[in-house]
Amino acid sequence: MQIPKPGGGVRELGIPTVTDRLIQQALLQVLQPRIDPTFSDHSYGFRPGRRAHGAVLEARRYVQEGYRVVVDVDLEKFFDRVNHDVLMERLSRRVADKDVLRLIRRYLQAGILSNGIKVERHQGTPQGGPLSPLLANVLLDEVDRELERRGHRFVRYADDCNVYVRSRKAGERVMAGLRRLYERLHLKVNEEKSAVRSAFGSRFLGFEFWMAPGGKVKCAVSRKALAAYKRRIRQLTRRSRGRSLEEVAEHLRQYVNGWKGYFQLAQTPGVFRRLDEWLRHRLRALQLKHWKRGKTMYRELKAMGATDEVARRIAANSRRWWRNSRYQLNAVMPIAFFDRLGVPRLS
């Protein structure tokens, strides 16, 4: 199964059958408590009790300490290109039971049914199975340990690894070393997405860092994540969908509250405030679109407490929903109106 990736291209998903998923989950429950404690403290992805926020905070600490150049490494189709022999050799160092190892290899080599056709698989550990995240960490832990041995400051979340250094020259040396490390694991660095760059403005797990007055390093939502948020809000508040404000508010609660929960680390209240204003602007325009006709618009606005002058002015330009919603409706449909609807706020 293929799903589109946010940055373009597709991601391969291998969805196990119910029986296979049950067996893989049983293996995971036995193996994870034994293997996970042996992983590096700088690894955060797919691990119990760890999450992206911890990785972002550790990265911010390095930047605050003066390591303001980041070696940002992106692996090309990591899950699709894992070498089975290399992975199994690393796994055998942690798991002695040959029957378990044999079973895991069989899962790695199992074919994929795509459009009714069985496709043989000779590499990769497809996303979608319970074991894949653990196996990915087994393989990449070797890179973590080498970075630790060299005394580097780094954070890894799944295949996304950032190393923080003090100069671009040091960063280039680290990048060259990482290329050799990944080559030893038969993994390929994506040269288009990997770079040595300033830690300020560089994306990591949806966040960027910025320098506040006084020299304190703070978190912000990355520009790419902000664009994705606005794109999704536009979809949910599209004026051609014909849904009531109550229905739209319900869908917004599901998306916005989840987004807010993830990006709660961002220290940019002004950005969140402007996003809230923009969302309410769209909802006001949506309500005007629902009323459509000038007479209906005038009647509804009067019922909501608009003055006769404001109601007439808006109704006279009934098709100019976006312009009308910007200033004229703020008093008629204030923040409290949207709070009563249950429209979530970021700020």
Side-chain angles (χ1 to χ4, degrees):
M1 177 181 177
Q2 295 181 338
I3 60 173
K5 296 173 67 174
V10 295
R11 176 177 287 117
E12 295 280 352
L13 289 184
I15 310 300
T17 64
V18 174
T19 302
D20 286 342
R21 190 173 189 84
L22 179 65
I23 296 172
Q24 286 193 38
Q25 186 63 41
L27 282 169
L28 181 68
Q29 288 178 321
V30 172
L31 294 176
Q32 191 159 51
R34 300 182 181 186
I35 296 177
D36 188 84
T38 69
F39 291 149
S40 167
D41 287 339
H42 304 286
S43 167
Y44 288 85
F46 309 130
R47 298 187 60 188
R50 289 176 162 249
R51 56 181 185 154
H53 286 177
V56 173
L57 290 174
E58 183 174 350
R60 187 184 68 179
R61 176 165 57 83
Y62 293 146
V63 179
Q64 184 67 65
E65 291 172 354
Y67 297 86
R68 293 175 180 173
V69 174
V70 60
V71 183
D72 184 0
V73 181
D74 182 89
L75 296 179
E76 193 170 291
K77 295 185 176 180
F78 167 70
F79 283 93
D80 299 334
R81 294 186 172 175
V82 169
N83 183 284
H84 292 169
D85 291 335
V86 173
L87 171 59
M88 292 307 301
E89 194 279 327
R90 269 57 174 186
L91 185 62
S92 67
R93 299 177 188 177
R94 303 167 187 264
V95 179
D97 192 309
K98 295 188 182 301
D99 289 332
V100 170
L101 293 172
R102 192 178 301 113
L103 180 59
I104 292 174
R105 182 180 277 275
R106 289 185 65 181
Y107 275 123
L108 289 173
Q109 296 177 336
I112 300 174
L113 197 63
S114 178
N115 297 321
I117 301 173
K118 184 178 179 180
V119 180
E120 296 294 331
R121 187 169 71 225
H122 303 288
Q123 63 178 4
T125 170
Q127 298 176 76
L131 271 178
S132 290
L134 178 65
L135 297 178
N137 277 329
V138 167
L139 185 62
L140 293 174
D141 188 63
E142 184 167 324
V143 177
D144 298 343
R145 295 306 180 185
E146 183 62 23
L147 289 171
E148 286 179 346
R149 189 184 69 78
R150 297 179 185 181
H152 289 306
R153 288 152 181 82
F154 72 97
V155 184
R156 182 174 66 80
Y157 191 93
D159 58 325
D160 193 352
C161 182
N162 278 9
V163 185
Y164 295 87
V165 295
R166 290 189 183 274
S167 70
R168 187 169 293 272
K169 187 175 181 180
E172 295 294 349
R173 287 198 302 269
V174 172
M175 178 66 86
L178 283 171
R179 286 193 183 97
R180 290 191 294 270
L181 277 172
Y182 287 123
E183 186 177 343
R184 192 166 72 197
L185 296 175
H186 294 220
L187 298 171
K188 185 177 180 181
V189 173
N190 187 328
E191 299 296 344
E192 290 185 5
K193 296 183 178 180
S194 301
V196 178
R197 53 171 69 97
S198 170
F200 296 110
S202 178
R203 293 195 309 270
F204 183 53
L205 300 177
F207 291 90
E208 295 178 358
F209 300 121
W210 61 286
M211 181 76 77
K216 189 169 181 63
V217 176
K218 294 190 175 183
C219 294
V221 182
S222 73
R223 283 161 288 186
K224 185 176 180 180
L226 286 173
Y229 174 83
K230 296 187 80 170
R231 186 164 56 247
R232 181 58 179 151
I233 293 299
R234 287 190 184 99
Q235 292 172 349
L236 293 174
T237 58
R238 193 174 295 145
R239 295 192 288 277
S240 60
R241 301 186 74 166
R243 294 182 304 180
S244 68
L245 281 188
E246 289 78 9
E247 292 175 299
V248 173
E250 175 60 32
H251 289 283
L252 285 172
R253 280 194 293 273
Q254 296 173 25
Y255 175 70
V256 175
N257 286 334
W259 193 90
K260 179 180 179 180
Y262 180 78
F263 287 106
Q264 61 183 287
L265 288 182
Q267 297 159 293
T268 51
V271 173
F272 285 170
R273 187 167 55 251
R274 288 190 293 273
L275 286 175
D276 284 342
E277 292 169 356
W278 173 76
L279 172 56
R280 289 191 292 269
H281 184 187
R282 289 193 63 84
L283 292 175
R284 292 183 184 109
L286 176 62
Q287 182 62 81
L288 291 177
K289 172 68 164 55
H290 285 169
W291 290 333
K292 292 184 181 178
R293 298 174 58 190
K295 290 183 178 179
T296 304
M297 199 174 289
Y298 174 81
R299 184 177 64 249
E300 294 291 344
L301 287 169
K302 288 288 291 180
M304 294 178 70
T307 65
D308 188 71
E309 181 185 353
V310 168
R312 287 183 183 280
R313 187 181 303 130
I314 294 175
N317 295 283
S318 59
R319 293 290 178 178
R320 305 181 73 174
W321 303 301
W322 186 248
R323 181 177 177 180
N324 278 332
S325 66
R326 190 162 187 84
Y327 300 112
Q328 305 282 359
L329 283 182
N330 284 8
V332 183
M333 301 172 71
I335 296 175
F337 171 82
F338 295 106
D339 287 346
R340 289 193 296 270
L341 279 177
V343 176
R345 283 202 250 171
L346 295 175
S347 59

